[in-house]
Amino acid sequence: MSDNINKQQRNNSAEFSGTITNSTISVNQNQDGNQSINEKEIEYAVDKGSYREITSEEYKTRSSVFYISLAVFALGVLADMLGLLTYLGFSHGIIILILAPICWLISVVTKNDRWMNGLYHNNKSYYRDGRWYEKLPNNDVAVYYKRAGCIYPRCDGVVNIVPAPPREHPNHTLVGKCSVGGLQHTYTVDFNSIGYPHKFDWRPLTQENHDV
């Protein structure tokens, strides 16, 4: 494999340039089972069946619910500290026991909405929990998967983008894994949505790795 390809393999990021409008699948099918596929590439594209849009009103409203619950919790704690709730007949600390689990649950449910609220319209798509997110000019957010066709001989699998195994960090952030070939059919994921066949180290990290 050439130096250029090696450089492409190391140039990985969770932020991809390009938008949903110019993404297409370009697959080089291997017609000869004995022919090497090392110099061939795949192009990850938007899976149109997975595409949906979340309006700005939706994620902003859910984000606001979190901040309101946080404000109510803060006021409850302050009132409890000042003894106002005890004066009204509430046991000391009871309001914290009631509101804390509610706020925690709301924070978990609205976590993704608050993250989307912080995105910028910059013609980039962002990878998060298996999906790609892209803020549109009207502030709505497009959500979709990016996939490609596997080019290994006689394989009709779909290549999905997944987090890279821990041993491959920091050279690889994301990798492509075939739905049929699994760990035997894996690819790089470059900033320009191009991938090349590549073998990765999927072994789990040992305690020695964590200590380094």
Side-chain angles (χ1 to χ4, degrees), residues 76-112:
V77 172
L78 180 61
D80 189 56
M81 292 175 61
L82 296 176
L84 298 178
L85 297 180
T86 304
Y87 177 76
L88 295 175
F90 292 94
S91 300
H92 181 69
I94 189 66
I95 194 67
I96 298 177
L97 294 177
I98 294 174
L99 292 180
I102 296 175
C103 289
W104 176 81
L105 180 61
I106 293 175
S107 70
V108 172
V109 172
T110 62
K111 180 180 179 181
N112 209 46

Side-chain angles (χ1 to χ4, degrees), residues 27-92:
V27 179
N28 292 325
Q29 294 293 340
N30 194 334
Q31 303 299 326
D32 183 355
N34 297 321
Q35 180 181 355
S36 172
I37 65 170
N38 288 338
E39 301 299 328
K40 296 183 180 292
E41 75 280 348
I42 60 174
E43 183 173 348
Y44 301 98
V46 176
D47 182 348
K48 294 183 179 180
S50 69
Y51 180 86
R52 66 188 179 96
E53 292 183 7
I54 301 175
T55 65
S56 58
E57 289 78 10
E58 289 181 72
Y59 65 77
K60 286 181 179 179
T61 298
R62 289 190 289 262
S63 297
S64 298
V65 171
F66 166 75
Y67 294 115
I68 292 172
S69 69
L70 197 62
V72 171
F73 178 74
L75 289 174
V77 172
L78 180 61
D80 189 56
M81 292 175 61
L82 296 176
L84 298 178
L85 297 180
T86 304
Y87 177 76
L88 295 175
F90 292 94
S91 300
H92 181 69

Side-chain angles (χ1 to χ4, degrees), residues 10-189:
R10 298 187 180 95
N11 191 8
N12 293 281
S13 173
E15 299 181 6
F16 272 31
S17 299
T19 64
I20 57 174
T21 57
N22 59 13
S23 296
T24 56
I25 294 180
S26 175
V27 179
N28 292 325
Q29 294 293 340
N30 194 334
Q31 303 299 326
D32 183 355
N34 297 321
Q35 180 181 355
S36 172
I37 65 170
N38 288 338
E39 301 299 328
K40 296 183 180 292
E41 75 280 348
I42 60 174
E43 183 173 348
Y44 301 98
V46 176
D47 182 348
K48 294 183 179 180
S50 69
Y51 180 86
R52 66 188 179 96
E53 292 183 7
I54 301 175
T55 65
S56 58
E57 289 78 10
E58 289 181 72
Y59 65 77
K60 286 181 179 179
T61 298
R62 289 190 289 262
S63 297
S64 298
V65 171
F66 166 75
Y67 294 115
I68 292 172
S69 69
L70 197 62
V72 171
F73 178 74
L75 289 174
V77 172
L78 180 61
D80 189 56
M81 292 175 61
L82 296 176
L84 298 178
L85 297 180
T86 304
Y87 177 76
L88 295 175
F90 292 94
S91 300
H92 181 69
I94 189 66
I95 194 67
I96 298 177
L97 294 177
I98 294 174
L99 292 180
I102 296 175
C103 289
W104 176 81
L105 180 61
I106 293 175
S107 70
V108 172
V109 172
T110 62
K111 180 180 179 181
N112 209 46
D113 298 290
R114 289 180 280 121
W115 177 78
M116 286 189 290
N117 197 33
L119 293 178
Y120 294 97
H121 172 56
N122 53 7
N123 292 325
K124 287 185 178 180
S125 54
Y126 298 84
Y127 181 88
R128 182 179 177 87
D129 298 330
R131 294 179 174 86
W132 294 89
Y133 295 78
E134 180 184 332
K135 182 157 282 190
L136 304 176
N138 62 355
N139 286 326
D140 292 349
V141 175
V143 185
Y144 48 84
Y145 290 101
K146 281 185 179 181
R147 296 187 171 112
C150 185
I151 59 174
Y152 276 81
R154 293 180 292 279
C155 181
D156 58 357
V158 175
V159 181
N160 297 291
I161 297 177
V162 299
R167 286 179 179 267
E168 298 292 343
H169 296 172
N171 290 334
H172 299 278
T173 303
L174 303 171
V175 300
K177 185 170 74 171
C178 178
S179 59
V180 175
L183 303 187
Q184 300 303 315
H185 296 179
T186 52
Y187 300 80
T188 58
V189 178

Side-chain angles (χ1 to χ4, degrees), residues 195-208:
Y196 293 89
H198 186 79
K199 296 298 182 182
F200 300 98
D201 188 348
W202 293 89
R203 294 175 300 161
L205 289 175
T206 62
Q207 185 62 40
E208 289 75 13

